[in-house]
Structure formats: C-alpha cells, structure tokens
Amino acid sequence: MALDIGSKAPSQQVKLVNAEGAKDVDFADIVAVGTTVIFAVPGAFTATCHLNHMPGYIGLSDEFKNAGVDRILCLSVNDHFVMQHWGEQTGAFGFVDLISDGNADLAKALKLDRDFSAAGFGTRYVRASLLIKDGVISHVEIETKPGEVVVSGAPHMLDVVKNNH
C-alpha cells in the first residue's frame, strides 16, 4: 500500500538523470516546490515501460506543462547508467527526468516496492502514478493488472492534473 494522500514526500537519496548526466539528490528536495507528476515503472527497457509508458508522457509533456505541471519524473530501480541510456534512447530528456533508485530505497519509502524475485528481477517498483504538490502527495494510484498501463498512464494522469487544479 502506497503512502497516504497528504503524506510528505520522503527524504531519500537518489540519482537524478537528465541530459546533463546523473547527480545525487534528495527526492524530497526535487518535489518540494511546484507540481510534479510521477510515474513508477518496474524497469527501463521492459516492453510495457519502453513502448507504452514513457512515450505517453513524452508525447503529452506540453499538455502537462500547459496544465500547470512543473516536472515529470519517472522512477525505476535501474542504475543510473541504464537510466541515462534509456533516456537517450527514448528521447525523454527535456520532457521527462529520470530517477535512478538502484537499491529500491525510495520505492520502499514510498511503499511502492514489490518483490519480483520469482521472475529474477529482485525488488522493483509497482507500476504506479503520483501527483505531488509542494512536497505533499495529493494523488496516488497503482495498476492492478501486470503489463497494463491505465491509472499510471499519461492520459489518465493528465486528467487527474486538470481535475486537481
């Protein structure tokens, strides 16, 4: 079960990955000011994440900005080298910043972690979406079916943003 609506974003060291490279940051600092849309994925380059999730957010990034969103973040447990390459391959940079949470510490702090060891993946994020305003979680949804992108997808989150402003 994810953190409750109204909870403050957790303070957790992660790597922010964008066109400039990767740098150590505190997650709470990144989302402390403004409106942030977040989508969490089980893994970079996985079929659903690569072909459906990321392209949706890139494609609607201007609409998110027009609706008052300051930043879009993608969370994954992949290391920052993989996240850097994924951002380059998808053309995400300039639209979506990536968060590398290599040890799943943020995933656990957000209570969005799941053990995928049976599939050989270890601890990963569940597929989820969040809206954080000035450091406070105002919306969170978790996908209920594997491989499905409905409540965590860009079109749904754009509707959430428009209905929460």
Side-chain angles (χ1 to χ4, degrees), residues 83-146:
M83 295 297 277
Q84 184 76 42
H85 189 63
W86 192 37
E88 291 166 357
Q89 290 296 307
T90 59
F93 297 138
F95 305 104
V96 177
D97 286 336
L98 310 180
I99 297 292
S100 170
D101 181 23
N103 293 324
D105 294 330
L106 179 60
K108 292 171 188 169
L110 288 168
K111 299 181 182 178
L112 293 174
D113 60 305
R114 181 167 296 151
D115 184 359
F116 286 95
S117 295
F121 295 144
T123 301
R124 299 281 178 127
Y125 278 92
V126 295
R127 197 176 309 283
S129 59
L130 298 96
L131 180 62
I132 299 181
K133 294 182 180 180
D134 296 324
V136 177
I137 298 170
S138 64
H139 179 87
V140 61
E141 290 189 75
I142 298 171
E143 296 291 353
T144 58
K145 295 181 182 169

